[in-house]
């Protein structure tokens, strides 16, 4: 099997490594089957898409909708590199799954409106599939409503006409969409279980996602939640596209 490619942008080693382990676990892959490139640490090397089964973009502390003058040089470089890679991915309809930051990257690339109108606080939220979502193979086995962990400052407020809306929440109208046949983005985190989000709460408690004094309350809510279904998206992705 050709490996899958995980493009990551988390500068903190603990967060980056925990994310990688979560993708291995829930995609059902061995380390040699999931190649990780940490874009925040250096330029994206030359890639041949034909060397991979599919491309996954993990979550990120980067916010696509921030004004350019507020973005670091590393963020601008990463966004430019991802946009160039997406030119090829979209042209080939090459298997792609972007989680959280995927909405910002694939959404911006395809002309979606990405802004801060529909951000959601850190924690579990109820996601509801659309009729198209219920029929989509990437959501095979996922119930019509399910809980998932979220935590995002920006979101998609308007999809382009050629996108297919697959899932929403009460607070965020676009939680998952598809472009063409094989290009997907989720706003929720399909890789996060309670332990995973607790790790991120501890690492990012001073990053502006929530007041730092609320960390213990958010951890307690995570421990009481029942988030078991979003991970099916990852296994479906690898089962559909492994080659």
């Amino acid at each position: 099997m050709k490996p899958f490619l995980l493009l990551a942008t988390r500068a903190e080693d603990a967060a980056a490594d925990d994310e990688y382990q979560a993708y291995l676990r829930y995609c059902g892959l061995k380390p040699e089957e999931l190649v990780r490139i940490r874009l925040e640490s250096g330029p994206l090397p030359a890639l041949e898409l034909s060397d991979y089964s599919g491309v996954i973009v993990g979550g990120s502390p980067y916010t696509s909708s921030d004004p350019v003058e507020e973005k670091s040089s590393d963020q601008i470089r990463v966004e430019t590199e991802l946009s160039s890679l997406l030119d090829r991915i979209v042209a080939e309809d090459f298997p792609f799954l972007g989680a959280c930051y995927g909405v910002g990257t694939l959404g911006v690339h395809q002309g979606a409106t990405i802004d801060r109108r529909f951000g959601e606080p850190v924690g579990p939220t109820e996601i509801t599939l659309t009729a198209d979502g219920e029929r989509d193979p990437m959501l095979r086995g996922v119930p019509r409503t399910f809980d998932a962990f979220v935590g995002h400052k920006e979101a998609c407020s308007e999809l382009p006409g050629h996108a297919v809306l697959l899932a929403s929440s009460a607070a965020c109208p676009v939680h998952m969409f598809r472009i063409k046949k094989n290009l997907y983005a989720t706003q929720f985190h399909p890789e996060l279980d309670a332990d995973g989000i607790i790790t991120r709460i501890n690492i990012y408690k001073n990053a502006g996602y929530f007041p730092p004094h609320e960390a213990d309350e958010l951890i307690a809510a995570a421990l009481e939640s029942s988030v078991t279904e979003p991970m099916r998206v990852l296994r479906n992705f690898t089962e559909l596209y492994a080659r």
Side-chain angles (χ1 to χ4, degrees), residues 97-134:
L97 174 61
C100 196
Y101 190 46
V103 167
T105 53
L106 182 61
V108 167
H109 187 273
Q110 290 298 293
T113 301
I114 309 295
D115 54 35
R116 293 191 175 228
R117 282 190 283 171
F118 298 108
E120 290 178 292
V122 172
T125 194
E126 185 178 81
I127 309 294
T128 301
L129 302 184
T130 65
D132 286 314
E134 291 184 86

Side-chain angles (χ1 to χ4, degrees), residues 14-108:
D17 291 344
D18 189 73
E19 177 183 68
Y20 180 60
Q21 291 300 319
Y23 277 107
L24 286 174
R25 181 165 58 254
Y26 290 121
C27 286
L29 299 175
K30 301 173 183 177
E32 63 270 21
E33 296 172 334
L34 183 61
V35 175
R36 177 177 62 165
I37 297 176
R38 293 181 63 176
L39 298 179
E40 87 290 342
S41 64
L44 178 68
L47 295 175
E48 290 293 336
L49 293 178
S50 59
D51 291 338
Y52 299 97
S53 288
V55 175
I56 300 169
V57 171
S60 177
Y62 296 151
T63 304
S64 301
S65 59
D66 281 347
V68 174
E69 60 271 17
E70 295 180 11
K71 296 179 179 181
S72 68
S73 58
D74 282 338
Q75 180 175 349
I76 292 171
R77 173 185 57 79
V78 168
E79 289 179 350
T80 301
E81 291 171 344
L82 285 175
S83 180
S84 179
L85 181 61
L86 281 168
D87 287 343
R88 292 193 284 150
I89 286 173
V90 173
E92 296 183 26
D93 197 13
F94 188 81
F96 175 88
L97 174 61
C100 196
Y101 190 46
V103 167
T105 53
L106 182 61
V108 167

Side-chain angles (χ1 to χ4, degrees), residues 3 5 48 69 71 90 103 105 125 138 145 153 171 177 187 198 204 223 226 233 238 240:
L5 176 63
E48 290 293 336
E69 60 271 17
K71 296 179 179 181
V90 173
V103 167
T105 53
T125 194
M138 273 285 284
T145 61
K153 300 173 184 177
F177 65 88
Q187 187 65 75
I198 288 169
Y204 294 113
L223 290 171
S226 178
V233 172
T238 55
L240 283 168

